[in-house]
Structure formats: structure tokens, C-alpha cells
Amino acid sequence: MVSAGLRQLFRWGENWVRTNSMLMALQGELVNWSCGSAPYGGADSSAVLASRTEELVRSEAGEWAETRRSAPQPPVAGPPASSG
């Protein structure tokens, strides 16, 4: 029961899926760049690669931040109540 609560709180499975999706997107860009596929056919292919990977990372960082903002926050333990 505790492990189910921890999984829900930290969303390890969801984070794993998002991380792997980002990795696959970055790898796809790298493969297209190394093959010279569109949009990497020109002389500025390295600059295009840098721009597109930065955009992917920026987008994922924004989505991650939004997910963290909307996630329920665990209760914060306060000082013990005085009995007197």
C-alpha cells in the first residue's frame, strides 16, 4: 500500500515514459542530421540540429514544469502539537 502511494506521488512510470520519448526524439533528430535528411540537407545543418534539439529540450522542460505545478503536493510535516 505504501509503495502504491509512492508510485502515485513520484510518478516514476510516467517519468520513465517521458524521458524515453525525449530520448527517441533526440535520437531521431541525430539520425536525420547524420543522413542529411530534410531539414538537414544544407550547409547550416549543424545549426539546424542545435536549434531543433534546443527546441525539443525547451518544450519538454516547460511541460515538466507544468506537470510539477499541477501535481498534488505531499503534506509538509509541521512542528509537533503541544499538549498543554
Side-chain angles (χ1 to χ4, degrees):
M1 187 146 139
V2 172
S3 64
L6 289 173
R7 278 195 309 257
Q8 180 64 28
L9 179 64
F10 293 108
R11 300 178 180 185
W12 288 308
E14 182 181 318
N15 291 339
W16 183 86
V17 169
R18 288 182 69 158
T19 300
N20 281 320
S21 294
M22 175 55 75
L23 176 62
M24 295 302 293
L26 291 171
Q27 285 178 336
E29 293 296 329
L30 186 59
V31 167
N32 289 336
W33 174 78
S34 66
C35 293
S37 301
Y40 301 110
D44 62 343
S45 62
S46 294
V48 173
L49 177 64
S51 175
R52 289 175 64 99
T53 55
E54 285 175 4
E55 180 57 36
L56 282 170
V57 171
R58 191 174 14 259
S59 173
E60 176 58 24
E63 289 175 22
W64 183 85
E66 182 59 36
T67 300
R68 296 300 296 166
R69 276 193 293 273
S70 64
Q73 299 299 314
V76 176
S82 61
S83 60

